[in-house]
Amino acid sequence: AAAAAVAAESAASARGREAADLTSRLRAFYLAHNPEKVGDAEQVARLFVGREADLNEKLRSRYSGKDLSSVRGLPEPPPRLDAPTPRPINTTWSSSSDDDESEE
């Protein structure tokens, strides 16, 4: 049962990353071809996650044959959520109590 829960959580996480990537690509497409629709990108992406071929077919029928492949220079996909986050290097120095010793 625990393995099934982990698998379901992993699938949901992958689906979320795929939706975020599709949202970003749709925003770029809408910016180029129909800026008024940019605000709809997230909702449309959720509807078509895993069905990009269907989405492209609909886009081609509405935008004179243009689909997601028509937009060059799309933004990089978002970073993986499960990737380790680089930690900043601590550049602050702490004072030691040796400097505060009284002279005899």
Side-chain angles (χ1 to χ4, degrees), residues 2-39:
V6 169
E9 186 176 318
S10 178
S13 177
R15 186 173 170 88
R17 285 191 301 273
E18 190 177 340
D21 175 54
L22 189 53
T23 298
S24 147
R25 295 168 60 218
L26 264 172
R27 281 191 180 125
F29 178 88
Y30 285 143
L31 279 171
H33 301 294
N34 190 355
E36 298 90 33
K37 298 278 288 176
V38 169

Side-chain angles (χ1 to χ4, degrees), residues 90-101:
N90 185 358
T91 57
T92 59
W93 300 95
S94 61
S95 301
S96 72
S97 59
D98 294 341
D99 294 339
D100 297 333
E101 289 182 19

